[in-house]
Amino acid sequence: NSGKSESKSVSQAAASRDTKKEISKVEKLIGRLDTQIAKLHTEMAEKSTDFEALKELNSLLATLENDKHEAEELWLELNAGD
């Protein structure tokens, strides 16, 4: 019977490692999105008088912020299991 519990703990350890890897990937994604958002804000400031460009950049900003929100939700879900 100890073989089953040992196998279960090995399986749990593997799942924990997989979760930690996934959390790390999501954290890196959030960092990349933060960088892209910051660059976009800079570009928007530089093109503050070009309303067509601002319209396009604002649309891109909304997409990036939505992606970041989804990544943050995933991060919270993954961390809730700890």
Side-chain angles (χ1 to χ4, degrees), residues 19 32-33 37 52 66 74 76 79:
T19 299
R32 284 192 304 271
L33 289 167
I37 289 169
E52 284 302 312
N66 185 59
L74 177 57
L76 288 171
N79 279 288

Side-chain angles (χ1 to χ4, degrees), residues 33-50:
L33 289 167
D34 279 337
T35 300
Q36 289 176 321
I37 289 169
K39 287 179 181 177
L40 197 54
H41 280 287
T42 300
E43 190 174 350
M44 290 173 84
E46 291 170 355
K47 296 185 179 186
S48 62
T49 59
D50 184 347

Side-chain angles (χ1 to χ4, degrees), residues 4-18:
K4 282 186 180 182
S5 68
E6 185 177 312
S7 170
K8 187 175 181 180
S9 94
V10 168
S11 175
Q12 287 173 334
S16 178
R17 276 193 309 277
D18 289 345

